[in-house]
Amino acid sequence: MPIPFDNEILRRSEMFAGLDADVLQTVVSAGSVRRLPAGTHVFAQGDPGVSGHSLLEGRVKIVQTRVDGGQSVLRFIGPGEMYGTVAALMNQAFPADAVAVVDSVEIWWTIPALRQLIRRHPEIGLRSTAAAGTRLMDLQSRMGELTGERVEQRIARTLLRLMEKAGRPTDAGIEIDFPITRQDLAEMAGSTLHTVSRTLAALDQRGVTGSARRRIIVRDPRALSQLAENGVG
């Protein structure tokens, strides 16, 4: 039985934004839609890149294992974002694991199908390249932060990024709408679990953030932004 989803998610997505309805239907027909229960490994680091993916619902975590055996959370994928696609189009192995954080839905394509879509509709390839460039610039920015900012600033900036990407207004503040662990934050901010726990506890006490059931709420976005920019909140 087909899994229903809103085509507008793809129309607003990185690769397929603004496509005509008939072209968008061709894109959908060329792919396969599937559910991803929480904890599902969509693909694993080092696996051959044989498919391209775009998330329709939920959240997917991209995690890379380093040479020393440690792990780094590179990013969280939200609805409309692609993942694994660039590596696959370049005939490269997947550079990280992709794991569903919550129950999710994705559409995926074989690489021959994706290449055929790009040949027929070059704007798809252009948008894919632009999205990859944006992520590269974001990665460069994060690398600069690791060498030039205090750890508290990096943690605050990581929370701001998550709030801007996945925040939803609630009576208590802006809630990051998926479960995130302190270890996840530590890996994203280039910090340690101890430092993140200490920093979050201090922010909670000051009323800047709040947390419960693995959900983080930003209660005072302005103070968090000041901490990210200046090291003071």
Side-chain angles (χ1 to χ4, degrees), residues 49-192:
V50 296
S51 53
H53 305 254
S54 185
L55 197 63
L56 300 173
E57 299 175 15
R59 295 283 167 185
V60 165
K61 179 168 64 174
I62 306 300
V63 186
Q64 189 173 67
T65 301
R66 302 187 301 270
V67 175
D68 64 4
Q71 290 190 323
S72 296
V73 176
L74 300 183
R75 64 186 291 115
F76 285 90
I77 301 296
E81 292 187 271
M82 66 181 193
Y83 55 109
T85 303
V86 174
L89 286 172
M90 294 175 63
N91 293 318
Q92 300 293 317
F94 290 123
D97 296 346
V99 184
V101 178
V102 295
D103 291 345
S104 304
V105 177
E106 72 158 7
I107 182 169
W108 66 278
W109 301 265
T110 65
I111 290 307
L114 201 54
R115 286 179 174 154
Q116 186 174 39
L117 287 171
I118 291 173
R119 282 194 294 269
R120 291 181 178 178
H121 310 286
E123 63 270 31
I124 295 175
L126 291 174
R127 291 190 179 101
S128 174
T129 301
T134 297
R135 291 188 184 178
L136 178 59
M137 292 175 65
D138 178 64
L139 180 60
Q140 290 174 332
S141 176
R142 288 174 58 185
M143 291 299 294
E145 292 166 9
L146 289 176
T147 58
E149 293 185 349
R150 296 170 52 234
V151 65
E152 292 83 0
Q153 285 181 272
R154 299 201 304 268
I155 294 168
R157 198 177 295 279
T158 299
L159 287 171
L160 279 177
R161 287 195 181 103
L162 291 169
M163 181 192 76
E164 291 165 358
K165 179 177 179 179
R168 65 180 185 89
T170 70
D171 291 340
I174 301 176
E175 181 184 71
I176 297 170
D177 72 357
F178 60 91
I180 182 167
T181 68
R182 295 186 177 192
Q183 183 63 43
D184 289 337
L185 279 178
E187 292 170 9
M188 294 182 75
S191 182
T192 65

Side-chain angles (χ1 to χ4, degrees), residues 5-65:
F5 68 94
D6 185 357
N7 274 11
E8 285 301 312
I9 295 173
L10 281 182
R11 195 187 300 278
R12 298 189 301 267
S13 68
E14 293 176 314
M15 290 182 68
F16 310 115
L19 293 180
D20 293 339
D22 56 341
V23 177
L24 198 63
Q25 186 55 52
T26 299
V27 168
V28 173
S29 298
S32 299
V33 179
R34 65 173 176 172
R35 299 188 188 279
L36 305 172
T40 299
H41 278 69
V42 184
F43 51 76
Q45 182 174 334
D47 283 352
V50 296
S51 53
H53 305 254
S54 185
L55 197 63
L56 300 173
E57 299 175 15
R59 295 283 167 185
V60 165
K61 179 168 64 174
I62 306 300
V63 186
Q64 189 173 67
T65 301

